[in-house]
Amino acid sequence: MGSIENHRMAPGVALAEGPCLVCGGFLGNSALPGLLRCEACGFVTANVSVSDEELERIYGEDYFHGNEYLDYQAEEKSLRQNFRDRIRTLMAKVENFGDSDLFEIGCAYGYFLAEVSADVRRASGIDISADAVAAARDKRNVDAMCGDYLNHELGRTVDVITMWDTIEHLKRPDQFIAKAASDLKPGGHIALTTGDIDSLNAQFRGKNWRMIHPPTHLHYFSVATLTSLLSRHGFEVVHASHPGNSRNLRSILYYIMVLRLKRPKVYEALNASRLFDLRIKINLFDIMFVIARRQA
Ligand SMILES: [Zn+2]
């Protein structure tokens, strides 16, 4: 957890050298400390400056082991169940989904690719974490590669691009959306999930909202600002919902005892109990699932 803490909010360092990534408007202070808000469209972004080297370090081997995710691999069952739910929505909303060439940005350990591979014609993906990609290829036998999507030549246009809980981590989400638009066939779809800062839970929690943690989460979209960004790059939103997530109790315990209350010893003492293997479905309605169609 150390590396995340060390990177938290360098005071007075402004990310906002450029204008709002969504609309080009001016980024002013927001009601939330450390976050800036576009005066024109309301887009919220972290007031931090992160170098590419720092980001590389953050997403090294440690990232998926407790920095942000409780042993991500141990969560496989829950994650795959959540992906199965999203695939069901994709099947309902995307014409000829079964015949699609699907590309995933931020494929991590390959759980989604493994889950979706039987449902589409071709499934492949990219992730910046070499450790995660190695596991995706070796353990899940999926077509994953390590690299930065922005510098990756796809060599073809695809039918569907997915970005699960990824856009909030990107330094320049606008550049990713622009490249995704050019990598998709006309009429192709992009599907994303990310926190919704306009949700009731986010508003109620304020600065303590669970999704606010720079520098891993740099951007805080709402349905409105994500829709604006997508429209600006030639997409039409065809679906927006707030699906719940299935989690096991252990990850919730970890979140509360270790990340929030800073009591890792209590967590370790309770962790041995099989009770925490139970899975429950939680919906705080603060994570949005958006599907958008590239206009011809
Ligand atoms: Zn704006």
Side-chain angles (χ1 to χ4, degrees):
M1 293 195 15
S3 67
I4 294 289
E5 286 302 312
N6 294 341
H7 282 87
R8 204 176 273 276
M9 288 287 152
V13 180
L15 171 80
E17 291 150 20
C20 169
L21 296 176
V22 171
C23 77
F26 178 77
L27 294 171
N29 288 324
S30 78
L32 301 170
L35 302 184
L36 301 172
R37 187 172 191 278
C38 172
E39 292 183 354
C41 76
F43 175 59
V44 178
T45 194
N47 187 15
V48 292
S49 151
V50 193
S51 70
D52 292 341
E53 294 71 39
E54 275 178 294
L55 286 179
E56 245 172 59
R57 206 158 63 74
I58 292 169
Y59 296 110
E61 189 174 346
D62 274 352
Y63 176 69
F64 288 105
H65 297 273
N67 271 345
E68 194 164 315
Y69 289 104
L70 160 69
D71 202 353
Y72 188 89
Q73 300 199 67
E75 283 278 273
E76 175 163 3
K77 270 190 187 164
S78 302
L79 290 163
R80 288 181 77 141
Q81 182 56 52
N82 295 333
F83 286 140
R84 182 49 41 200
D85 293 343
R86 291 175 201 174
I87 291 166
R88 210 167 285 128
T89 306
L90 284 168
M91 284 172 162
K93 302 292 172 185
V94 175
E95 315 85 74
N96 302 318
F97 183 71
D99 191 35
S100 52
D101 179 348
L102 178 149
F103 188 80
E104 181 181 21
I105 303 169
C107 63
Y109 284 90
Y111 300 143
F112 175 71
L113 289 178
E115 198 64 35
V116 80
S117 59
D119 300 311
V120 292
R121 181 164 49 83
R122 178 176 178 182
S124 57
I126 194 167
D127 199 283
I128 200 166
S129 164
D131 182 51
V133 166
R137 296 172 69 104
D138 300 345
K139 294 184 186 153
R140 263 138 235 121
N141 199 27
V142 295
D143 184 1
M145 64 163 294
C146 179
D148 178 353
Y149 172 67
L150 288 182
N151 301 320
H152 175 61
E153 198 60 61
L154 215 54
R156 66 190 193 281
T157 51
V158 296
D159 303 290
V160 178
I161 289 181
T162 59
M163 295 172 79
W164 307 127
D165 306 313
T166 296
I167 196 167
E168 66 273 21
H169 296 265
L170 306 171
K171 215 165 150 178
R172 290 294 303 269
D174 54 329
Q175 293 176 353
F176 276 71
I177 298 297
K179 177 161 161 53
S182 71
D183 283 340
L184 278 169
K185 291 172 189 160
H189 290 79
I190 188 167
L192 316 88
T193 49
T194 189
D196 177 358
I197 198 163
D198 274 1
S199 62
L200 279 176
N201 189 49
Q203 290 180 37
F204 175 69
R205 299 287 299 161
K207 67 182 169 66
N208 298 316
W209 184 38
R210 64 204 173 101
M211 297 298 287
I212 297 179
H213 42 86
T216 54
H217 288 186
L218 294 167
H219 305 293
Y220 305 90
F221 288 93
S222 63
V223 174
T225 56
L226 186 55
T227 299
S228 300
L229 179 66
L230 289 164
S231 335
R232 190 173 172 176
H233 294 281
F235 288 98
E236 180 197 3
V237 170
V238 296
H239 172 83
S241 61
H242 294 79
N245 271 329
S246 162
R247 303 297 299 267
N248 69 25
L249 283 177
R250 176 162 290 106
S251 67
I252 296 164
L253 178 74
Y254 178 86
Y255 174 78
I256 294 170
M257 296 315 299
V258 180
L259 298 184
R260 280 288 173 215
L261 301 178
K262 316 282 183 207
R263 302 286 297 276
K265 291 214 167 97
V266 177
Y267 169 74
E268 276 162 30
L270 294 171
N271 187 27
S273 167
R274 298 281 304 271
L275 172 72
F276 295 106
D277 289 331
L278 281 175
R279 278 181 28 217
I280 51 170
K281 181 140 182 164
I282 297 181
N283 198 346
L284 298 172
F285 297 94
D286 59 356
I287 305 294
M288 57 182 159
F289 177 12
V290 170
I291 305 174
R293 186 175 184 274
R294 202 202 115 170
Q295 285 161 320

